[in-house]
Amino acid sequence: MRNDERFEIERAFDLLPHVVGSSWAVVWFRLKKIKNPTRDEYRKKTLEYTKMLEPLFESYEECEFADMIKYIKFRKEQEFERIISGQNNEIEKRYDRYINYG
């Protein structure tokens, strides 16, 4: 798969975890009145909400783009691991912002 074919997939996985997953996690913590979740709790909740997007990630299953489907699966698993291990810097920034300014 060429780099230009991966571009939009990469951008989606760069943005979705913190724009969707982390944002919805913050809403959940606020609704539950949890002002100081641990980093681990925050990462797990972010991952939970990001995983709710899996039907979107799997929406190309029935098409002929096997290389693209394979790459989407790879990036999804890679991004899930980055979230839970604390290697997604944007989510870590969102956690700090929530804790400091909640």
Side-chain angles (χ1 to χ4, degrees):
M1 179 176 221
R2 296 185 331 245
N3 286 342
D4 62 317
E5 293 175 326
R6 293 191 304 236
F7 179 80
E8 296 300 337
I9 298 166
E10 290 171 350
R11 295 299 67 78
F13 281 108
D14 288 345
L15 295 172
L16 287 170
H18 71 274
V19 172
V20 176
S22 185
S23 296
W24 284 106
V26 165
V27 170
W28 186 87
F29 285 117
R30 284 185 178 149
L31 288 172
K32 296 289 187 177
K33 299 184 184 347
I34 301 171
K35 294 183 180 188
N36 294 303
T38 66
R39 275 193 195 273
D40 189 51
E41 290 170 324
Y42 189 87
R43 290 173 187 156
K44 286 178 180 176
K45 189 55 71 176
T46 298
L47 182 59
E48 179 183 328
Y49 280 106
T50 303
K51 283 185 173 187
M52 290 180 185
L53 297 169
E54 285 198 88
L56 178 65
F57 305 149
E58 297 170 0
S59 63
Y60 294 112
E61 289 296 326
E62 300 298 325
C63 72
E64 68 275 5
F65 301 111
D67 288 342
M68 190 175 293
I69 293 166
K70 184 177 176 183
Y71 186 71
I72 289 169
K73 287 179 181 180
F74 166 77
R75 273 306 304 261
K76 176 185 76 171
E77 293 304 321
Q78 184 182 48
E79 202 56 45
F80 288 177
E81 179 56 35
R82 288 183 69 225
I83 291 168
I84 209 69
S85 68
Q87 294 177 348
N88 184 310
N89 293 333
E90 289 300 319
I91 290 171
E92 299 304 304
K93 281 190 235 177
R94 297 279 179 119
Y95 171 79
D96 291 338
R97 185 172 187 270
Y98 180 69
I99 293 298
N100 293 324
Y101 305 107

